[in-house]
């Protein structure tokens, strides 16, 4: 009987403490999510791009256009970049992967200077492309018009909705604000250029 009384007293004591001091089901830890390593991820430069700059582009000072392409750590876009104008006689092709299930993705702002090859996983990592509902299954390539304005530079890090993330990349990305007025001679391949997933 004494043992039962002790247990009852213990239950009443704990119940009283809980009633006086509510315990939240989930702790608010938003103030702890500072992710300091994001600030340590430096931009990665590609020295081979310097030759292309000198031979194919002129540097243009347009801070507002440049700002549209530069992204904060974890948000994608460019890690660093500059506005360039295509030289009169330069021939530059740019490439973009898109999905046939979402035709409007064909003419987005973001392009590459290298034709995609190898594996899709590597392509996503090189250009910080998060997974979306629609598959990447087609390729469009276009020539930049003479005097077209673009923003180009290495890619910024990206945090995706599914929890995955990508580090800054040395691969050059090209931001085209108005694609319809900046490209000509487009070619569309309705198949993936990737050799592996």
């Amino acid at each position: 009987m004494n043992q039962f009384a002790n247990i009852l007293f213990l239950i009443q004591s704990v119940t009283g403490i809980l009633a006086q001091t509510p315990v939240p089901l989930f702790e608010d830890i938003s103030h702890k999510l500072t992710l300091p390593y994001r600030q340590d991820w430096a931009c990665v430069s590609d020295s081979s791009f310097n030759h292309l700059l000198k031979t194919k582009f002129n540097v243009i000072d347009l801070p507002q256009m440049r700002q549209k392409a530069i992204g904060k750590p974890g948000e994608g876009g460019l890690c660093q970049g500059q506005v360039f104008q295509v030289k009169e006689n330069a021939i530059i092709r740019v490439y973009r992967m898109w999905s046939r299930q979402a035709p409007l993705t064909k003419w987005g702002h973001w392009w590459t200077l290298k034709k995609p090859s190898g594996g899709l996983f590597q392509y996503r990592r090189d250009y910080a492309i998060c997974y979306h509902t629609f598959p990447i299954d087609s390729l469009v390539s276009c020539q930049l018009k003479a005097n077209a304005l673009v923003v180009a530079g290495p890619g910024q890090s990206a945090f995706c909705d599914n929890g995955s993330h990508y580090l800054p990349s040395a691969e050059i990305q090209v931001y085209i604000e108005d694609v319809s007025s900046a490209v000509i001679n487009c070619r569309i391949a309705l198949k993936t250029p990737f050799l592996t997933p």
Side-chain angles (χ1 to χ4, degrees):
M1 187 70 178
N2 289 338
Q3 185 177 3
F4 176 78
N6 290 336
I7 294 174
L8 181 61
F9 174 77
L10 180 61
I11 293 174
Q12 290 174 341
S13 299
V14 171
T15 303
I17 293 174
L18 292 177
Q20 295 174 9
T21 310
V23 178
L25 293 177
F26 300 98
E27 180 187 2
D28 180 10
I29 60 171
S30 58
H31 62 286
K32 301 179 183 178
L33 300 180
T34 54
L35 297 177
Y37 57 88
R38 286 175 54 177
Q39 300 175 4
D40 297 335
W41 287 353
C43 298
V44 185
S45 61
D46 183 356
S47 58
S48 64
F49 188 59
N50 294 332
H51 175 69
L52 180 62
L53 296 183
K54 296 177 182 178
T55 59
K56 304 289 188 179
F57 292 101
N58 293 315
V59 178
I60 303 295
D61 185 22
L62 290 174
Q64 291 185 341
M65 183 177 179
R66 175 183 176 276
Q67 195 59 36
K68 292 180 180 180
I70 302 297
K72 297 179 181 178
E75 295 182 1
L78 300 183
C79 194
Q80 59 188 13
Q82 182 59 269
V83 180
F84 299 102
Q85 186 175 46
V86 180
K87 290 185 176 181
E88 193 67 35
N89 298 318
I91 298 178
I92 306 170
R93 292 202 72 81
V94 289
Y95 304 86
R96 177 176 170 82
M97 294 300 304
W98 58 287
S99 174
R100 279 173 285 172
Q101 295 183 25
L104 292 180
T105 62
K106 186 192 309 179
W107 307 114
H109 293 299
W110 295 101
W111 299 68
T112 69
L113 290 172
K114 292 181 180 179
K115 182 178 180 179
S117 62
L120 178 57
F121 175 80
Q122 182 66 41
Y123 176 77
R124 287 186 180 278
R125 188 171 66 178
D126 287 344
Y127 299 104
I129 300 174
C130 295
Y131 286 84
H132 296 288
T133 304
F134 303 111
I136 297 176
D137 57 12
S138 302
L139 172 69
V140 57
S141 67
C142 301
Q143 181 181 332
L144 289 175
K145 291 182 179 179
N147 300 313
L149 295 174
V150 302
V151 188
Q156 179 61 277
S157 58
F159 287 85
C160 305
D161 291 339
N162 66 355
S164 62
H165 66 272
Y166 299 98
L167 297 174
S169 172
E171 296 295 336
I172 299 300
Q173 298 187 41
V174 179
Y175 173 83
I176 306 176
E177 188 170 19
D178 184 4
V179 176
S180 62
S181 66
V183 300
I184 55 174
N185 300 331
C186 293
R187 304 169 188 166
I188 297 173
L190 298 179
K191 61 179 181 179
T192 174
F194 301 115
L195 302 177
T196 59

